[in-house]
C-alpha cells in the first residue's frame, strides 16, 4: 500500500499526509521526514536527479519464485498482475526468491568463492533463471514497467528481488549490505537491497534471518543481524536521511501484531520449557531466545530498539493501534498462526 510518512516543505507550507492503503499488509517501517514527490523536469536528461520519488510500496515473501511458478503457475501470476494493476506500487519488494548467484565453474555451496550475486544463473541441475525469465520477467506485461535488482545466495536460499518503476527518479547508488560498504559487496545470503537517492532518501528491502526454535547457531545469526540493522538505522538517523524499510523482518513486535497472542505465547513457553530441561542455554543465549520464532522476548526487545534509535514509525501500527484481530480466514495470515 502507499506509505504513510509525512511530507514537509510543500508549496503551501502545509504538511501533506499520504494515507496507507489498509488492504495491503506489507511490512514496512519509516522515519518521519520529508520526501516530497517532485514534478518531472522536461529539460535535460538527468534522470538520476529529477523525477518523482517512490511513495508507494508492495512487499511479498515468495518462499521461492520458482516454487510459485511451478506449483501455482498462471493462478499466482494472475493474482500478482491484478494486485500490481490495482495498487500501482512504485516499488515492489520480493523476499526469499531462492535464486542461485552466478558462480565459477565447479563452485559449491558456502565454498567462499566469489559470486556475482546480482546475477542469477542456471546450473547443470536446475533451469531456474531460464524459467523466471521465460514465464515471469520477460512475459508479464507489468514487469516491463519496472527495473529489477537481484541479490542472491550461493544456492536456492533466501535472496531478494526489488523492482523500481522506470518512470521514477533513479537512485544515485545501491548498497547490498547493512554496513553500506560500496563496491558491490552483497550480503552473503542476498538479504539486503538499499536504494539511496540524491535527496537523502533511502529505500531498503530486507529479508531478516529466522530466529528458529532451539538451535544456538540460529540465535547467534539473528542477534548479529539485529545488531547490524540497529547500526544501519542509527547511522541513517545520524546522517539525517529519510528511511523507508520494507520486507520480511521476521518479527512480531507486540502481542497486537499476531492474530492469536495466547497461542503464540503458549508455544514459546513450551519451547522454553524444553530448552531448560535440556540445559540448552549457554553463555551465548538465554531462555528469552527460545520460543515461537519471530515472537521471542529478545527479538521483540531488539526490534523495539531499532524503532526507537532509528526514529522509525511502524506504519501499520499507526493505522491499526487495536491490532490485527483473530481473522484467521484472511488469506494474508501465515500458517504459523494456526495449530493446524
Amino acid at each position: 500500500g502507499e506509505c504513510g510518512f509525512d511530507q514537509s516543505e510543500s508549496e503551501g507550507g502545509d504538511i501533506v499526509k499520504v494515507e496507507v492503503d489498509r488492504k495491503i499488509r506489507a511490512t514496512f517501517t519509516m522515519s518521519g521526514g520529508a520526501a516530497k514527490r517532485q514534478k518531472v523536469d522536461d529539460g535535460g536528461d538527468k534522470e538520476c536527479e529529477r523525477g518523482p520519488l517512490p511513495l508507494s510500496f508492495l512487499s511479498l515473501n515468495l518462499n521461492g519464485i520458482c516454487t510459485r511458478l511451478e506449483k501455482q503457475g498462471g493462478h499466482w501470476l494472475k493474482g500478482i498482475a491484478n494486485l500490481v494493476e490495482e495498487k500501482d506500487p512504485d516499488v515492489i519488494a520480493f523476499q526469499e526468491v531462492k535464486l542461485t548467484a552466478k558462480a565459477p565453474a565447479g563452485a559449491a555451496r558456502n565454498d567462499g568463492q566469489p559470486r556475482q550475486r546480482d546475477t542469477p544463473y542456471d546450473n547443470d541441475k536446475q533451469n531456474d533463471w531460464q524459467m523466471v525469465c521465460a514465464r515471469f520477467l520477460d512475459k508479464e506485461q507489468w514487469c516491463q514497467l519496472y527495473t529489477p535488482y537481484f541479490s542472491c545466495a550461493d544456492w536456492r536460499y533466501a535472496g531478494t528481488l526489488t523492482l523500481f518503476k522506470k518512470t521514477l527518479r533513479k537512485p544515485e547508488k545501491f548498497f547490498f549490505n547493512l554496513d553500506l560498504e560500496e563496491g558491490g559487496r552483497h550480503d552473503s545470503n542476498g538479504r539486503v537491497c538499499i536504494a539511496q537517492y540524491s535527496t537523502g532518501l533511502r529505500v531498503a528491502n530486507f529479508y531478516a534471518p529466522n530466529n528458529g526454535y532451539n538451535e544456538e547457531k540460529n540465535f547467534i545469526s539473528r542477534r548479529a543481524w539485529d545488531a547490524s540493522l540497529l547500526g544501519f538505522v542509527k547511522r541513517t538517523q545520524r546522517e539525517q536521511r529519510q528511511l523507508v524499510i520494507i520486507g520480511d523482518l521476521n518479527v512480531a513486535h507486540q502481542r497486537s501484531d499476531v492474530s492469536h497472542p495466547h497461542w503464540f505465547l503458549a508455544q514459546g513457553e513450551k519451547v522454553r520449557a524444553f530448552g531448560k530441561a535440556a540445559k540448552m542455554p549457554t553463555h551465548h543465549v538465554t531462555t528469552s531466545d527460545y520460543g515461537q520464532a519471530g515472537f521471542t522476548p529478545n527479538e521483540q526487545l531488539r526490534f523495539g530498539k531499532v524503532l526507537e534509535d532509528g526514529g522509525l514509525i511502524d506504519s501499520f501500527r499507526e493505522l491499526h493501534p487495536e491490532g490485527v484481530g483473530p481473522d484467521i480466514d484472511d488469506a494474508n495470515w501465515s500458517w504459523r498462526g494456526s495449530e493446524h
Side-chain angles (χ1 to χ4, degrees), residues 66-79 135:
C66 292
T67 302
R68 301 282 75 76
L69 293 172
E70 290 170 344
K71 294 186 176 182
Q72 295 176 299
H75 175 73
W76 179 75
L77 289 170
K78 182 178 179 180
R135 298 178 61 181

Side-chain angles (χ1 to χ4, degrees), residues 203-255:
V203 174
N205 177 17
F206 292 152
Y207 175 42
N210 193 291
N211 188 69
Y213 292 89
N214 54 24
E215 293 189 31
E216 183 175 319
K217 66 177 182 179
N218 290 337
F219 299 158
I220 295 173
S221 172
R222 180 52 189 262
R223 183 176 292 166
W225 167 273
D226 289 344
S228 295
L229 177 59
L230 178 62
F232 164 73
V233 299
K234 290 173 72 173
R235 175 173 172 177
T236 300
Q237 180 82 332
R238 288 196 305 271
E239 294 174 355
Q240 297 184 328
R241 295 180 179 274
Q242 294 78 46
L243 174 62
V244 178
I245 298 177
I246 49 182
D248 182 352
L249 304 181
N250 254 324
V251 64
H253 181 218
Q254 300 172 355
R255 294 187 183 187

Side-chain angles (χ1 to χ4, degrees), residues 102-289:
K102 188 174 183 180
R109 182 191 307 179
N110 299 326
D111 61 5
Q113 293 195 60
R115 260 68 170 180
Q116 290 180 242
R117 300 197 182 278
D118 61 348
T119 307
Y121 89 122
D122 296 324
N123 58 31
D124 295 336
K125 298 180 180 179
Q126 300 161 335
N127 294 318
D128 292 353
W129 180 231
Q130 182 178 336
M131 180 199 304
V132 169
C133 290
R135 298 178 61 181
F136 183 60
L137 288 177
D138 293 341
K139 183 178 180 181
E140 291 296 296
Q141 190 172 16
W142 68 264
C143 286
Q144 312 316 309
L145 305 176
Y146 294 83
T147 301
Y149 293 86
F150 288 89
S151 189
C152 304
D154 288 4
W155 51 294
R156 264 191 171 190
Y157 178 71
T160 55
L161 165 59
T162 316
L163 299 106
F164 293 81
K165 192 177 289 183
K166 293 178 180 179
T167 55
L168 298 178
R169 177 185 306 220
K170 293 182 179 179
E172 65 173 354
K173 63 177 65 175
F174 282 86
F175 302 98
F176 295 93
N177 58 85
L178 287 170
D179 298 327
L180 299 177
E181 180 181 318
E182 298 190 50
R185 181 177 72 81
H186 286 238
D187 173 87
S188 60
N189 289 316
R191 297 183 180 277
V192 176
C193 177
I194 302 168
Q196 181 171 295
Y197 293 84
S198 57
T199 62
L201 173 66
R202 282 180 180 149
V203 174
N205 177 17
F206 292 152
Y207 175 42
N210 193 291
N211 188 69
Y213 292 89
N214 54 24
E215 293 189 31
E216 183 175 319
K217 66 177 182 179
N218 290 337
F219 299 158
I220 295 173
S221 172
R222 180 52 189 262
R223 183 176 292 166
W225 167 273
D226 289 344
S228 295
L229 177 59
L230 178 62
F232 164 73
V233 299
K234 290 173 72 173
R235 175 173 172 177
T236 300
Q237 180 82 332
R238 288 196 305 271
E239 294 174 355
Q240 297 184 328
R241 295 180 179 274
Q242 294 78 46
L243 174 62
V244 178
I245 298 177
I246 49 182
D248 182 352
L249 304 181
N250 254 324
V251 64
H253 181 218
Q254 300 172 355
R255 294 187 183 187
S256 52
D257 287 314
V258 295
S259 56
H260 296 76
H262 295 297
W263 184 90
F264 278 88
L265 289 168
Q267 305 317 299
E269 290 302 321
K270 289 179 183 179
V271 176
R272 279 191 288 275
F274 171 77
K276 290 177 182 178
K279 298 182 179 179
M280 295 178 69
T282 69
H283 64 284
H284 293 295
V285 299
T286 70
T287 55
S288 293
D289 287 307

Side-chain angles (χ1 to χ4, degrees), residues 6-17 36:
D6 289 337
Q7 296 181 289
S8 60
E9 300 297 325
S10 63
E11 283 80 356
D14 298 322
I15 299 296
V16 180
K17 178 113 176 177
K36 138 176 105 165

